[in-house]
Amino acid sequence: MVVSDPMKNLLKLLIFITLLAVGCTPEQEVQPILVSLVVDGRVQTYSHTEPITVGQFLREVDVELGPLDRPNPPLVTQISDGIRITVVRVSEETSCENVEIPYRSITNQIDGLAPDEVRVGRSGVNGEEQVCYRTTIVDGEPSERVEIRRNVTVNPQDEIIYVAPTTDLEPVPITGTIAYISNQNVWIMRGSNNARRALTESGNLDDRILSLSADGRQLLFATLPDDSDETILNELWVIADTTVPLPNATQLRVQDVLFAEWVPERANTISYSQGEVHPAAPGWQAFNDLWLMRIDLDTGEALNIEQILDDPNAGPYGWWGMQFEWSPNGERVAWIRADSIGLVNLDEGQLGEPLVSYAALSTFRDWSWRTTVSWSPDSNLIATTVHGPPIGGEDEAASPVFNVAVTSTDGTFNADIVDRAGIWSQPKFSPEITDPSSQYPRGYIAYLQARDWESSITASDYDLVVADRDGSNASIIFPEQGQQGLNSQEFVWSPDGRQIAFIYQDNLWIVDVESGVAHQLTQGGASHPIWTR
């Protein structure tokens, strides 16, 4: 359609009038947003024109939030007219206090006391621990107190009280001589457990050293120094005749002993290894030496001293100290390190090549594991516990596997005969057993079998097992099924190889190997049994 000029002019006029009317309309007034802010004990009101978030608003009015402060409503909320914003100030304080740990009083029964006698074996000392708390402070007022950690700074020392046994044990016949430690004294029994008597009364034995001669007459032991003397580890003593009613103990001119025992088949001769006091755990530093000394039993004087080893290669964890074990014929001595066992070359005065090697155990504590060595009666075989290979991805030093092994002293034979027996299996050959019905002597091997081999280091009970010397025909002889297992690794064969003495629930027991009949020999604590002729 064609629009005429008059019409065009009319349209232009209408558009101009419309624009003019719009331009002359007054602007609408923006309504303010009133915000009430409660913070730091003050209430303030603000007028704002833009619908921003709570977080933006707080920044605009210079309110800084701490990491624990609690704004309400949340920071992402958009403000609106009449909104009330509350900021709760929250902080935390840590405080610690020392708390006393009361000592426990433990009553033990021991032999040798009168029926109404009470003896304090050790005084109790309270301990102390630091307890730390976290306190929540809300707007300046403590609100919540939560314990966050405890740290024992001083361990309590239990009070130990000794009393006489309340019941009598049935008499049990004893073959040979049994010596043991009770209440840090040496006790001995011959003929019957009812004939037991104390050989020492000082109550300060060092239980690392206790050795009875093959005939049961001479006793070698060590005593700890007074608490005030921190310069020595111990002192070595000898009793020349344990058969007399009141035997005398004679002090030897030897101190700081970590290993000592009588040498078989050598009259009045001992061997020993020394160390020195060390400020760090375990309290000593081993020399890893080895000496022979023939002594005068009456005076304690050394008649002859010979050094066999002088600072040998003690292997890993040598600070703990090597151990030694003489053969029954007294002609050879085995050495024991953290990672191997072998024989000492007595002619050259040095360690021979290892007979058995394994990874040294990483205990991650202030002690180091050493295996044990048991010689066969003919001095040709050695039974021991070896640290086995890992079972998974763990490092070989952390393997929980410990096997019973037998090796020949000439190095021609070495075999694991019991797998996963446990770290404290302590295999021991029995003496030869003579049987009138056979022209050939026979014998066994005994060991402790962990009920939980994966936790055998700290958590497992053990069963006492007897088997043929090659590990076959193994059977548990103690305890009976369903009873608590052994938690002490101390056991010894009788001289005739027919019984085993062991520590069970802190008392000395014996069990007959053939019948399995067991008898309790002591009441009130025993450890470190030795059984000789």
Side-chain angles (χ1 to χ4, degrees):
M1 180 181 66
V2 179
V3 181
S4 63
D5 290 339
M7 289 296 292
K8 290 180 180 180
N9 292 333
L10 180 58
L11 288 172
K12 290 179 180 180
L13 180 61
L14 290 173
I15 293 171
F16 175 75
I17 292 171
T18 302
L19 293 175
L20 182 61
V22 172
C24 294
T25 303
E27 294 184 2
Q28 291 184 347
E29 184 177 353
V30 177
Q31 293 296 320
I33 300 174
L34 296 181
V35 179
S36 177
L37 175 62
V38 181
V39 63
D40 298 330
R42 301 189 305 273
V43 180
Q44 295 176 287
T45 302
Y46 295 87
S47 177
H48 213 276
T49 58
E50 299 178 6
I52 59 178
T53 65
V54 170
Q56 292 171 324
F57 171 78
L58 292 176
R59 285 194 294 271
E60 286 191 6
V61 297
D62 296 326
V63 174
E64 294 185 4
L65 295 178
L68 301 177
D69 289 345
R70 304 169 187 167
N72 184 36
L75 296 177
V76 296
T77 305
Q78 183 174 300
I79 64 173
S80 58
D81 188 38
I83 191 172
R84 183 182 180 89
I85 301 175
T86 302
V87 176
V88 178
R89 296 296 193 184
V90 181
S91 61
E92 292 179 342
E93 293 181 354
T94 300
S95 60
C96 298
E97 60 187 43
N98 292 326
V99 178
E100 187 176 78
I101 306 174
Y103 66 82
R104 299 181 305 166
S105 183
I106 300 175
T107 300
N108 291 330
Q109 297 180 354
I110 64 168
D111 294 316
L113 298 183
D116 296 328
E117 183 179 358
V118 176
R119 180 183 301 172
V120 177
R122 187 177 67 189
S123 299
V125 179
N126 290 330
E128 189 174 78
E129 64 181 340
Q130 184 185 66
V131 184
C132 295
Y133 301 90
R134 181 175 59 241
T135 302
T136 302
I137 310 298
V138 179
D139 281 340
E141 296 293 331
S143 173
E144 183 182 19
R145 191 177 190 227
V146 179
E147 181 181 322
I148 55 177
R149 66 177 178 271
R150 287 177 178 258
N151 180 36
V152 177
T153 54
V154 179
N155 287 311
Q157 176 176 281
D158 293 336
E159 177 187 50
I160 298 179
I161 297 174
Y162 294 109
V163 297
T166 57
T167 58
D168 293 329
L169 295 173
E170 64 175 302
V172 179
I174 301 296
T175 300
T177 302
I178 297 180
Y180 62 96
I181 295 177
S182 179
N183 190 26
Q184 286 193 284
N185 283 309
V186 184
W187 287 67
I188 199 166
M189 58 178 68
R190 288 189 180 92
S192 168
N193 61 318
N194 284 352
R196 57 189 178 274
R197 58 191 176 91
L199 295 181
T200 65
E201 297 180 347
S202 59
N204 63 341
L205 249 70
D206 182 350
D207 58 13
R208 288 174 295 193
I209 310 298
L210 189 67
S211 180
L212 196 62
S213 61
D215 61 5
R217 296 182 68 91
Q218 286 83 43
L219 180 73
L220 185 68
F221 65 97
T223 59
L224 297 169
D226 295 336
D227 294 338
S228 60
D229 191 347
E230 299 180 352
T231 62
I232 63 173
L233 293 172
N234 54 25
E235 298 172 331
L236 202 59
W237 295 74
V238 64
I239 291 178
D241 191 353
T242 63
T243 64
V244 300
L246 297 174
N248 291 321
T250 303
Q251 185 175 356
L252 304 181
R253 303 294 178 90
V254 180
Q255 296 178 334
D256 303 321
V257 178
L258 297 178
F259 157 84
E261 70 176 9
W262 296 101
V263 179
E265 304 299 331
R266 301 194 192 189
N268 305 335
T269 301
I270 66 171
S271 67
Y272 61 91
S273 181
Q274 295 175 291
E276 63 182 353
V277 174
H278 195 270
W284 69 80
Q285 174 74 46
F287 293 158
N288 297 299
D289 52 357
L290 186 63
W291 298 78
L292 283 178
M293 183 171 71
R294 189 164 62 90
I295 58 178
D296 185 319
L297 295 178
D298 294 325
T299 64
E301 296 293 331
L303 302 177
N304 182 55
I305 299 180
E306 176 187 354
Q307 185 169 19
I308 298 176
L309 294 176
D310 180 15
D311 192 25
N313 177 13
Y317 310 110
W319 45 265
W320 183 267
M322 298 174 62
Q323 289 293 305
F324 303 93
E325 187 73 29
W326 285 90
S327 62
N329 59 17
E331 296 179 359
R332 288 181 286 187
V333 60
W335 55 260
I336 305 167
R337 303 191 319 189
D339 63 347
S340 53
I341 66 169
L343 300 180
V344 176
N345 188 323
L346 296 175
D347 294 330
E348 299 181 6
Q350 62 184 19
L351 303 183
E353 291 298 317
L355 294 173
V356 180
S357 298
Y358 39 82
L361 175 68
S362 294
T363 65
F364 304 105
R365 295 180 179 90
D366 56 6
W367 62 277
S368 176
W369 175 70
R370 297 292 181 277
T371 188
T372 59
V373 160
S374 173
W375 289 84
S376 61
D378 60 6
S379 299
N380 290 327
L381 298 176
I382 288 177
T384 187
T385 303
V386 298
H387 190 197
I391 57 175
E394 77 272 17
D395 185 84
E396 62 177 358
S399 169
V401 176
F402 294 88
N403 303 325
V404 171
V406 172
T407 183
S408 61
T409 55
D410 61 7
T412 59
F413 171 78
N414 180 26
D416 291 351
I417 63 170
V418 182
D419 292 333
R420 302 179 180 182
I423 187 173
W424 310 118
S425 58
Q426 308 238 28
K428 291 180 173 66
F429 285 115
S430 73
E432 288 188 342
I433 303 171
T434 57
D435 190 340
S437 63
S438 174
Q439 60 177 326
Y440 301 106
R442 56 190 175 88
Y444 300 105
I445 189 171
Y447 58 91
L448 297 173
Q449 174 68 60
R451 293 181 175 179
D452 179 6
W453 64 269
E454 291 183 285
S455 303
S456 70
I457 298 177
T458 57
S460 179
D461 286 350
Y462 283 76
D463 293 312
L464 179 58
V465 178
V466 171
D468 292 338
R469 289 183 176 178
D470 60 0
S472 62
N473 299 317
S475 62
I476 297 173
I477 64 168
F478 192 89
E480 296 180 0
Q481 187 174 3
Q483 292 183 339
Q484 179 182 339
L486 282 74
N487 53 25
S488 168
Q489 62 267 29
E490 299 173 307
F491 73 94
V492 289
W493 281 97
S494 63
D496 60 7
R498 299 181 183 276
Q499 294 176 310
I500 296 176
F502 57 94
I503 302 299
Y504 183 61
Q505 297 180 350
D506 294 328
N507 279 298
L508 182 63
W509 288 63
I510 61 171
V511 61
D512 185 271
V513 173
E514 296 293 338
S515 67
V517 175
H519 296 278
Q520 182 179 339
L521 300 184
T522 65
Q523 295 184 94
S527 64
H528 299 78
I530 306 171
W531 202 344
T532 63
R533 296 193 300 273

